[in-house]
C-alpha cells in the first residue's frame, strides 16, 4: 500500500472491470473499476472513482490544506445585480449581487446579499466521482486540536431523491451551511452551500 500525492499523474496500464463500490454513506456510493497504474518506483491498483483523466489544479489553503480544483481553465466572469423578492425600496440591501464565472468544466456563481453568500457550482462535463471529489476537497480542512491536526471531510447526513446533504468540514469555508450535491436528470451535477458573516 502506498499513498500517491494529490494531483500526481500516474500511468494507467490496464482497467479491470469490477462491481465494487466506494460507500460514501447510506444510499450513496461511487461505482468503479480497478486501474493498474505505474509511477516511478512502483506498480499498483487504484479504484477508478478516486482518479480523473483531467489535470486538476492543486491549491494550498492558508492552514496548510492541499486541495484539488477540477473547474478547469477560466473562460469569463460577469456580475449582475438583482432586486430581492419582496423588496420595497431601491436601497443596496434590497439587491443581491451575482458574480458568475465560467470555467472549462463548469460554472461557479457566488450570490452576495445582506452579509450572506450563496455558493453554486454547476458541472456539465464532470462525472459524479469527479464532482464529489471536487466538493469534499473544497469543503474539507484540518481540525487543529490538542492531539494535532485531523482532516475533516464532509459527511453524508441525508438523501432525498437525487439530492445529497452533507456536513461541512473544518477549514475551507468554516461558516458554510446546507452543503448539497444534486444529480439532475440531464446529467448536470450541482454543488451548493451558503454562509453568513
Amino acid at each position: 500500500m502506498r499513498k500517491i500525492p494529490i494531483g500526481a499523474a500516474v500511468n494507467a496500464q490496464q482497467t479491470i472491470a469490477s462491481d465494487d463500490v466506494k460507500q460514501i454513506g447510506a444510499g450513496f456510493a461511487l461505482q468503479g473499476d480497478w486501474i493498474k497504474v505505474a509511477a516511478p518506483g512502483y506498480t499498483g491498483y487504484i479504484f477508478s472513482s478516486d482518479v480523473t483523466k483531467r489535470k486538476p489544479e492543486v491549491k494550498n489553503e492558508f492552514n496548510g490544506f492541499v486541495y484539488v480544483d477540477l473547474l478547469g481553465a477560466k473562460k469569463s466572469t460577469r456580475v449582475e445585480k438583482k432586486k430581492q423578492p419582496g423588496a420595497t425600496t431601491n436601497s443596496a440591501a434590497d439587491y443581491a449581487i451575482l458574480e458568475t464565472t465560467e470555467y472549462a468544466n463548469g460554472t461557479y456563481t457566488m450570490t452576495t446579499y445582506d452579509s450572506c453568500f450563496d455558493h453554486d457550482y454547476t458541472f456539465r462535463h464532470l462525472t459524479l466521482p469527479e464532482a464529489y471529489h471536487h466538493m469534499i476537497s473544497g469543503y474539507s480542512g484540518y481540525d487543529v486540536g490538542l492531539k494535532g491536526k485531523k482532516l475533516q471531510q464532509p459527511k453524508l447526513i441525508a438523501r432525498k431523491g437525487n439530492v445529497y446533504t452533507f456536513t461541512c468540514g473544518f477549514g475551507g469555508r468554516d461558516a458554510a451551511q446546507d452543503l448539497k450535491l444534486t444529480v439532475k436528470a440531464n446529467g448536470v451535477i450541482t454543488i451548493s452551500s451558503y454562509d453568513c458573516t
Side-chain angles (χ1 to χ4, degrees), residues 106-121:
T107 303
Y108 168 63
T109 301
M110 182 174 72
T111 305
T112 306
Y113 59 96
D114 197 24
S115 298
C116 293
F117 308 89
D118 285 345
H119 305 276
D120 295 292
Y121 297 86

Side-chain angles (χ1 to χ4, degrees), residues 3-197:
K3 290 185 179 179
I4 299 171
I6 291 174
V10 293
N11 179 18
Q13 298 180 328
Q14 177 186 6
T15 300
I16 301 164
S18 168
D19 292 330
D20 292 345
V21 297
K22 180 175 186 172
Q23 197 68 40
I24 305 301
F28 184 44
L30 301 177
Q31 297 179 325
D33 298 319
W34 289 97
I35 301 173
K36 184 177 181 181
V37 299
Y42 66 90
T43 298
Y45 297 86
I46 297 177
F47 197 55
S48 65
S49 71
D50 290 331
V51 295
T52 178
K53 292 180 180 177
R54 303 171 194 281
K55 184 174 180 173
E57 184 177 351
V58 179
K59 297 181 176 180
N60 291 295
E61 285 273 344
F62 65 92
N63 61 6
F65 178 67
V66 177
Y67 68 100
V68 294
D69 183 338
L70 290 170
L71 284 166
K74 183 177 175 180
K75 292 182 168 183
S76 65
T77 299
R78 68 182 181 278
V79 177
E80 56 187 309
K81 191 173 164 181
K82 287 194 174 177
K83 197 162 191 177
Q84 297 279 55
T88 56
T89 70
N90 281 324
S91 69
D94 286 340
Y95 287 87
I97 306 298
L98 286 78
E99 183 174 330
T100 302
T101 306
E102 298 286 342
Y103 295 89
N105 299 323
T107 303
Y108 168 63
T109 301
M110 182 174 72
T111 305
T112 306
Y113 59 96
D114 197 24
S115 298
C116 293
F117 308 89
D118 285 345
H119 305 276
D120 295 292
Y121 297 86
T122 302
F123 298 109
R124 292 176 183 83
H125 308 298
L126 295 188
T127 64
L128 178 57
E130 288 171 327
Y132 169 76
H133 281 289
H134 181 88
M135 180 193 76
I136 64 167
S137 192
Y139 287 91
S140 292
Y142 290 114
D143 177 17
V144 181
L146 296 175
K147 297 181 181 178
K149 291 195 301 187
K150 182 179 178 188
L151 180 64
Q152 297 288 327
Q153 292 182 328
K155 293 181 177 48
L156 180 68
I157 53 175
R159 174 185 179 183
K160 187 172 183 181
N162 287 332
V163 179
Y164 304 89
T165 304
F166 292 82
T167 63
C168 292
F170 291 86
R173 294 198 174 95
D174 286 331
Q177 300 175 46
D178 204 27
L179 176 58
K180 292 182 180 175
L181 183 149
T182 305
V183 181
K184 300 192 174 180
N186 58 1
V188 171
I189 300 169
T190 63
I191 297 167
S192 62
S193 71
Y194 76 90
D195 55 76
C196 296
T197 58

